[in-house]
Every structure is written in structure tokens, then in C-alpha cells.
Amino acid sequence: MENYFAPALSRDELLSISSIGLAHMGDAVFELLVRTWLCTHGGATGKGMHRAAIQMVCAESQAQKAERILPLLSDDERAVFRRGRNAHVHTVPNHASRAQYGEATALEALFGWLYLRGERDRINELFCKMMEEEDHAS
């Protein structure tokens, strides 16, 4: 691969990446989307944006947002989501239940998988759906 900024991995290449690896990638993708969303919605200081980002990327929030998009997922996306939810994580943060952490890991795995496939439009579509309530609140 020569373009690490815009990867487009094959099915076989994606299958060789663990669920935890996909979630690791998806964590960064989700964080970038949240930071972009916060910047474009304005009104917060740097410290305020940092606090808001932390609140939006925590496992509880991600699990809640994941529920909004589950009905929209294709069969392949649902399979990746399930694979992420069933990943063997060794530690769960004190503030999240194991179920919430599993849903958050699943969401991150899905976003990592979509990103590595080069499906930016699909990521954006799902992210916008997840953020609808926040759009109405701001």
C-alpha cells in the first residue's frame, strides 16, 4: 500500500486484521469525526471541546450511538459489528459495563473496517445518523 491516508484494503487483507486491530483503527476514525463535529458546531473553548470529545467517545456514549445505526447496517457490516462485539478484551473501564464496552468496541471495529475499505461516504452517513440528536440539541 502506498497511500496510508486513504487506504482501500482488499477483503483478504481486511480478514487478516483482528477485531481489536479494526477497533484500534476505528477508535481514531471516530475520534477524528467527533472532533470535526465539535469544531464545526462551534461555541466551545479548547478545554470545553476536549471535555465534550471525551464525553462523546466514552464507551457508554458510543454504545448508545451504535444502537441508532444497527437497523441501517448491511449484512457484511453486521458481521463486522458482531465480530467486534465478541472480541476478547481483557479490561473494561470502571465507568462502563461489559455490554457497553462490547458495543463500543463493535462500533469502533465497524468504523475501522469501513475506513480501511475506503468507504468514507458510508462512515459519514452512519456518523451523521448517530449525531442527529446532538444536532437538535445544539
Side-chain angles (χ1 to χ4, degrees), residues 22-44:
L22 292 174
H24 179 73
M25 183 78 250
D27 177 57
V29 172
F30 192 76
E31 175 91 19
L32 180 61
L33 291 167
V34 164
R35 287 177 180 224
T36 302
W37 188 89
L38 288 168
C39 285
T40 60
H41 284 75

Side-chain angles (χ1 to χ4, degrees), residues 47-117:
K47 189 175 186 179
M49 280 192 284
H50 178 70
R51 285 185 180 145
I54 289 171
Q55 185 177 13
M56 294 171 83
V57 301
C58 72
E60 302 95 326
S61 177
Q62 285 183 333
Q64 183 181 41
K65 287 174 175 41
E67 292 299 317
R68 296 179 197 161
I69 64 166
L70 287 177
L72 306 175
L73 300 183
S74 70
D75 290 342
D76 285 345
E77 291 167 344
R78 270 194 292 279
V80 172
F81 190 90
R82 244 186 334 271
R83 187 176 151 207
R85 188 177 47 220
N86 295 332
H88 296 290
V89 293
H90 299 291
T91 58
V92 175
N94 292 335
H95 52 80
S97 69
R98 181 165 288 282
Q100 288 171 324
Y101 197 67
E103 292 288 304
T105 302
L107 177 64
E108 291 172 348
L110 174 62
F111 273 42
W113 182 77
L114 289 168
Y115 176 78
L116 291 171
R117 283 178 56 124

Side-chain angles (χ1 to χ4, degrees), residues 1-9 115 120:
M1 178 170 41
E2 294 183 23
N3 185 348
Y4 290 96
F5 192 69
L9 277 61
Y115 176 78
R120 309 303 182 278

